[in-house]
Amino acid sequence: FYEWKDKKNVQGDLETLQQHRIGTAFNWSTSQKFTFNGEFSFYNNKFSGNPLSAVAYQMLEGLQPGKKYHMALTFPKKFNQVFRCKHKLSR
């Protein structure tokens, strides 16, 4: 997948963000009702403004300016109709 965002703060210091995200996601299931989900994304954040401000944190969605990657692995398990457990690892 590919995603492009162009954000502009129209108040204050007029910060801008151009974000490009490219990645892949996958799902794997077995006959024993075991599911494994994963996602890998690469971000290129071009941000103008103070990267340590609250506005930057909001616009960058918790990421930092520059080139970054994100990985997520999820292991959901349904034990019965009521109880479900989901383990998620992120970096």
Side-chain angles (χ1 to χ4, degrees):
F1 59 87
Y2 174 76
E3 181 179 49
W4 174 69
K5 291 182 182 178
D6 188 25
K7 295 182 179 180
K8 294 180 177 137
N9 181 16
V10 296
Q11 298 176 351
D13 293 334
L14 305 175
E15 296 91 347
T16 62
L17 169 67
Q18 247 190 11
Q19 183 182 76
H20 299 273
R21 177 182 175 208
I22 188 167
T24 185
F26 62 90
N27 299 319
W28 181 61
S29 302
T30 65
S31 59
Q32 291 85 16
K33 298 182 182 176
F34 175 76
T35 305
F36 175 75
N37 304 317
E39 181 179 303
F40 179 81
S41 300
F42 174 77
Y43 291 86
N44 187 5
N45 294 318
K46 295 178 184 175
F47 181 77
S48 67
N50 179 5
L52 301 177
S53 69
V55 172
Y57 185 82
Q58 183 69 29
M59 289 177 73
L60 290 162
E61 300 171 10
L63 297 172
Q64 293 293 316
K67 297 178 180 179
K68 308 292 178 204
Y69 72 92
H70 178 261
M71 294 186 321
L73 302 174
T74 308
F75 307 94
K77 177 68 176 164
K78 184 177 178 182
F79 293 102
N80 57 35
Q81 296 291 54
V82 178
F83 185 69
R84 294 180 183 167
C85 185
K86 183 177 180 181
H87 300 284
K88 183 173 183 178
L89 306 170
S90 259
R91 176 168 166 103

